[in-house]
Amino acid sequence: MHKYIYMLIVIVTIALIRVLPVTLIRKKIDNRFIRSFLYYVPYVTLAVMTFPAIMEATESPVAGAVALVCGIVAAWLGLGLFPVSIICCLVVFVLEFIL
Amino acid sequence: MNKKQAFLNGLRDGIPIGLGYYAVAFSLGIIARKAGLNAIEGFFNSLLARASAGEYAGLTMILTHATIVETFLVSFITNARYMLMTTALSQRFSTDTSVFKRIAVAFCMTDEIFGATIARPGYVIPQYTYGLTAIAAPLWGLGTASGIIAGGIMPARAVSALSVALYGMFIAIIIPPARRERPVLICVIVSFLLSYLCSDSCALPIPYVQEISTGTRTIILTVLISAVAALVAPVKEEDPEDA
């Protein structure tokens, strides 16, 4: 399948996901199970995509694992998206230099 | 506040968001390069999609030669949170906001732009959100294009280091709510654990699971874990804000 087909599917799907609720759902979703399910989905999917993929993205899996731990600690302490990303990058850069 | 002032405020507040985007999109560009996108394709792909996890998942689909159905389902799952955001957003429009403006504002939503939009008290001012997007979205696209170009000339070690920026952003999104709420924390731990057990890195592979593609594994695990979490720990009824 051509890459443009993939890009098109992704772009159109994301656009519809963003736009449909404000046009279709004028009322609140009452079903508690659906609301709960939708609440957990973003966190679960990001967690699933982060580990163990972060260890496969780096040249040394150990560096990826340490970056994950450092990122979690930094985010736990309240740092934002940008600082946490930078810390993860620096950890990998330094560790792969030493290892 | 008049519309022009709101737009200018949006531009101003969009600068820090955009700079963060540029850095993170750079690592997305490295993956986009692997998937065979050139700088111009990467720029427009990012400009139109504006989704870190969603774009990353889409690029993975190209790399793994996924099917149309898989690509659609993975896009849907990885971006489902925007549905929650724009559902919340729909409650914040003044009644005289036109359908066109509602759609335009909803189309702009990303984690950070949603945060900035919703953080302002009162009704949503569409021009403010347009301002945020006018500065942040091109920087997201430029970051991707830069990653595609520089990914090829940078030393492998630097590429390796930058490729975790995206995961850093994912971590920064999931950890604060995990710290606040016990069910989210348990969800994250279980997700890490099951994702590892089902992965190719696992020391003790589960029979048949390795034959399922990465994208499908992500969908199955997400639906399974979220459904169990919704049954075991349903969210509290919302504040009495609907009149």
Side-chain angles (χ1 to χ4, degrees):
Chain A
M1 211 159 50
H2 196 269
K3 61 185 173 182
Y4 286 171
I5 299 175
Y6 287 102
M7 287 159 68
L8 196 71
I9 296 171
V10 172
I11 289 166
V12 171
T13 307
I14 298 177
L16 288 178
I17 285 172
R18 282 184 173 126
V19 167
L20 283 182
V22 297
T23 53
L24 294 181
I25 309 169
R26 297 295 177 103
K27 289 180 194 166
K28 258 215 174 88
I29 300 167
D30 285 328
N31 185 303
R32 202 179 178 196
F33 174 77
I34 295 177
R35 287 206 296 110
S36 304
F37 176 75
L38 287 174
Y39 178 79
Y40 288 117
V41 159
Y43 307 121
V44 171
T45 197
L46 288 179
V48 166
M49 288 200 300
T50 299
F51 186 77
I54 192 168
M55 287 159 65
E56 290 154 11
T58 48
E59 304 256 301
S60 135
V62 177
V66 177
L68 175 72
V69 173
C70 292
I72 290 173
V73 171
W76 193 273
L77 295 175
L79 294 182
L81 302 186
F82 192 40
V84 171
S85 288
I86 295 294
I87 287 169
C88 291
C89 292
L90 286 176
V91 166
V92 171
F93 192 78
V94 172
L95 278 182
E96 290 191 345
F97 189 71
I98 300 168
L99 292 173
Chain B
M1 188 191 312
N2 70 45
K3 292 170 180 177
K4 193 181 169 194
Q5 188 58 46
F7 184 78
L8 292 175
N9 284 351
L11 285 181
R12 182 199 61 203
D13 295 350
I15 293 170
I17 296 177
L19 292 178
Y21 277 2
Y22 182 87
V24 174
F26 197 92
S27 85
L28 195 66
I30 294 170
I31 302 162
R33 184 189 174 84
K34 284 187 203 156
L37 270 63
N38 67 34
I40 294 165
E41 290 163 350
F43 175 81
F44 282 104
N45 188 47
S46 279
L47 189 73
L48 293 171
R50 285 162 293 106
S52 55
E55 283 183 50
Y56 168 75
L59 295 168
T60 313
M61 296 295 102
I62 299 179
L63 282 165
T64 56
H65 305 286
T67 63
I68 290 180
V69 176
E70 270 183 335
T71 309
F72 167 73
L73 282 175
V74 168
S75 301
F76 185 82
I77 294 284
T78 53
N79 296 290
R81 68 183 187 285
Y82 294 126
M83 222 164 191
L84 292 174
M85 287 179 196
T86 55
T87 304
L89 190 73
S90 68
Q91 317 288 317
R92 293 282 300 271
F93 284 116
S94 97
T95 44
D96 57 4
T97 307
S98 69
V99 174
F100 174 78
K101 280 183 181 153
R102 285 169 194 249
I103 290 174
V105 171
F107 184 72
C108 290
M109 285 304 121
T110 65
D111 297 312
E112 295 73 22
I113 289 173
F114 173 74
T117 300
I118 222 81
R120 294 167 68 89
Y123 291 124
V124 168
I125 305 168
Q127 287 75 17
Y128 177 70
T129 306
Y130 301 159
L132 290 169
T133 300
I135 193 101
L139 282 167
W140 178 248
L142 281 175
T144 310
S146 306
I148 292 172
I149 294 165
I153 49 176
M154 274 196 310
R157 230 157 42 76
V159 173
S160 177
L162 280 168
S163 62
V164 297
L166 203 60
Y167 298 109
M169 196 157 137
F170 295 168
I171 294 166
I173 294 171
I174 57 181
I175 294 303
R179 186 186 169 180
R180 282 195 306 273
E181 296 161 48
R182 181 61 55 88
V184 177
L185 179 65
I186 294 167
C187 274
V188 169
I189 294 169
V190 170
S191 301
F192 279 175
L193 207 67
L194 291 184
S195 170
Y196 175 73
L197 288 175
C198 295
S199 75
D200 301 330
S201 328
C202 183
L204 288 165
I206 303 166
Y208 307 113
V209 169
Q210 315 247 284
E211 288 159 36
I212 308 171
S213 70
T214 311
T216 307
R217 275 184 236 163
T218 304
I219 300 166
I220 295 171
L221 286 176
T222 301
V223 171
L224 197 75
I225 297 167
S226 305
V228 171
L231 287 172
V232 175
V235 293
K236 288 194 183 70
E237 292 306 320
E238 259 164 56
D239 321 320
E241 57 175 15
D242 32 354

